[in-house]
Amino acid sequence: MAILSGRDINHTGYRHGWTLPKIGGIVRMDWPLIEYPNGGPPRLEKPPFGGVKTVPEFLLPGDPLCDPFPVDVYCLGNYVKETFLDGWMAAKAKQGFEFMRELVDDMTNSDPLKRPTMREVVPRLATIIKGLSDRKLRSPVLLVDERLSWSERFAHRVKQYIRRARGIPAIPRA
């Protein structure tokens, strides 16, 4: 998303809803794109785009035009908040993701002018991740009330020890 945003391309996926088909175990986010050429017209659009109904700009009376790029930042932050930090409806929060709370809170700020840009989000996240231990980065992703048995914890640690010994990073590099 940062690469697209840096090239003045907006997802606008919330306009048509998110399509998340699984392909070979990988979730693929397939959103339509809109390009705003440099020096072109102002990048303002009329909400609501659909999908995410909690975007503060969409809740303003009279549907004023809004910049879709801060909306993208909000939607991504809201996705992380609902998927990993707080949970949402039937989906429970996950353990061990509180390190992202401050960044996600900034991304979902009700004032779009106070939200970081995607170009600011990426280095902030990289800095946060650099401050985490290898053990933290290799921790299993568990629901907040989920616990591993002794044998599951042991198997996970052995698997991660082997990966570390083979030089496989905790977070794959692009």
Side-chain angles (χ1 to χ4, degrees), residues 80-81 83-86 92-104 125 128-129 132 136-137 139-144 171:
V80 172
K81 184 181 282 190
T83 304
F84 297 99
L85 298 173
D86 298 339
K92 292 186 177 180
K94 313 299 184 285
Q95 296 178 32
F97 286 91
E98 282 301 315
F99 64 88
M100 295 179 62
R101 176 70 66 183
E102 185 179 341
L103 175 60
V104 170
L125 181 60
I128 292 168
I129 290 171
L132 300 175
K136 175 75 172 173
L137 293 172
S139 298
V141 177
L142 302 172
L143 300 176
V144 289
I171 299 177

Side-chain angles (χ1 to χ4, degrees), residues 34-93:
I34 294 179
E35 187 168 356
Y36 295 89
N38 289 332
R43 53 188 194 196
L44 298 176
E45 293 189 25
K46 187 171 179 74
F49 303 151
V52 180
K53 302 295 185 196
T54 59
V55 178
E57 294 92 316
F58 297 177
L59 304 175
L60 296 173
D63 294 334
L65 297 178
C66 63
D67 186 342
F69 288 92
V71 172
D72 266 353
V73 171
Y74 178 91
C75 289
L76 181 60
N78 192 58
Y79 173 78
V80 172
K81 184 181 282 190
E82 290 178 348
T83 304
F84 297 99
L85 298 173
D86 298 339
W88 182 71
M89 293 178 72
K92 292 186 177 180

Side-chain angles (χ1 to χ4, degrees), residues 107-149:
M107 292 173 71
T108 55
N109 191 309
S110 61
D111 182 350
L113 298 176
K114 292 182 180 176
R115 286 181 210 141
T117 65
M118 204 53 69
R119 284 183 178 169
E120 295 166 340
V121 168
V122 172
R124 277 184 65 183
L125 181 60
T127 300
I128 292 168
I129 290 171
K130 281 183 185 177
L132 300 175
S133 69
D134 185 67
R135 183 174 178 162
K136 175 75 172 173
L137 293 172
R138 292 180 186 275
S139 298
V141 177
L142 302 172
L143 300 176
V144 289
D145 56 355
E146 186 178 11
R147 301 285 177 255
L148 293 180
S149 68

